[in-house]
Amino acid sequence: MPSKKAPPADIRQLVVFSDTHCGSRRSLMPPEYTLFEEGSLAHTIKANKQQLWLYECWQQAWDKVHKYVGNDPWAWACIGDAVEGLHHSRAELVSNDMTDHMIIFDQMVRPNIQGATRGYFVRGTWAHVSDTVEMKLGEKLGCQQHPDTGTWAADRWLLDVNGFTILLRHHMECTS
């Protein structure tokens, strides 16, 4: 059954991003990050060359977004795979603690979405985000709850943005 459209929003533009895979040694993270380790001494890690490049690109992209949207009401949507998850070995991850992956995502996204009117989250690939990681991130970032499920991250969003119907999904069907 198709989902209901989200209620008409007072937004004129939608900024969409996905697949940040925060928590991977090959993905987006700040130049330095202090690992979350309850009850132990803090351990700060530094981004590698590839992560520094991604960080600079991320910052430049958001600078362009903010210039482009100006004072117009806008929303953002993360359409899946916000974090890397624990399906790879430690050598592929900055940490084996999903909390670190979630905190890194929050640190990368929260400063850039402060002026948004609304936020939306689409669930990504289960191997990366399991059942609830993106729901928790959506809740913490103040996203809209899906009108059908009441969750902060759904498999599918149907939105009306400035008179245009937009379907948001992580995995889309393909045609030949």
Side-chain angles (χ1 to χ4, degrees):
M1 169 195 281
S3 66
K4 298 180 269 184
K5 269 190 199 176
D10 55 345
I11 56 174
R12 297 197 40 167
Q13 299 179 64
L14 179 66
V15 177
V16 180
F17 58 93
S18 72
D19 294 279
T20 53
H21 290 275
C22 293
S24 168
R25 291 187 185 274
R26 295 187 173 121
S27 68
L28 188 62
M29 75 173 271
E32 288 189 353
Y33 173 72
T34 301
L35 294 171
F36 178 84
E37 296 179 15
E38 190 174 338
S40 67
L41 295 175
H43 177 71
T44 300
I45 57 174
K46 293 184 186 271
N48 61 38
K49 187 176 179 180
Q50 181 181 9
Q51 289 170 315
L52 290 172
W53 179 80
L54 287 170
Y55 176 81
E56 288 301 317
C57 291
W58 178 257
Q59 296 303 100
Q60 289 172 13
W62 278 104
D63 287 346
K64 289 179 182 180
V65 164
H66 292 294
K67 285 179 187 166
Y68 186 80
V69 299
N71 293 325
D72 283 346
W74 63 283
W76 63 273
C78 177
I79 57 171
D81 290 355
V83 300
E84 181 61 20
L86 304 178
H87 64 105
H88 286 301
S89 67
R90 173 71 174 150
E92 295 287 325
L93 304 174
V94 298
S95 166
N96 279 336
D97 188 339
M98 278 293 273
T99 304
D100 287 313
H101 300 211
M102 294 171 71
I103 293 170
I104 291 169
F105 179 84
D106 185 83
Q107 287 181 358
M108 297 309 305
V109 172
R110 187 179 297 273
N112 295 301
I113 61 170
Q114 293 304 307
T117 304
R118 286 183 168 67
Y120 300 92
F121 232 110
V122 174
R123 289 179 0 153
T125 309
W126 188 90
H128 294 290
V129 299
S130 67
D131 287 326
T132 59
V133 168
E134 287 171 327
M135 288 184 199
K136 192 59 170 173
L137 286 168
E139 177 190 24
K140 289 295 182 192
L141 290 169
C143 288
Q144 299 297 297
Q145 289 180 273
H146 193 274
D148 294 338
T149 65
T151 62
W152 283 277
D155 292 321
R156 179 180 199 269
W157 276 95
L158 190 59
L159 302 177
D160 181 333
V161 178
N162 202 24
F164 292 91
T165 299
I166 298 174
L167 174 64
L168 299 175
R169 293 184 63 162
H170 184 67
H171 296 284
M172 298 290 253
E173 287 82 15
C174 297
T175 63
S176 59

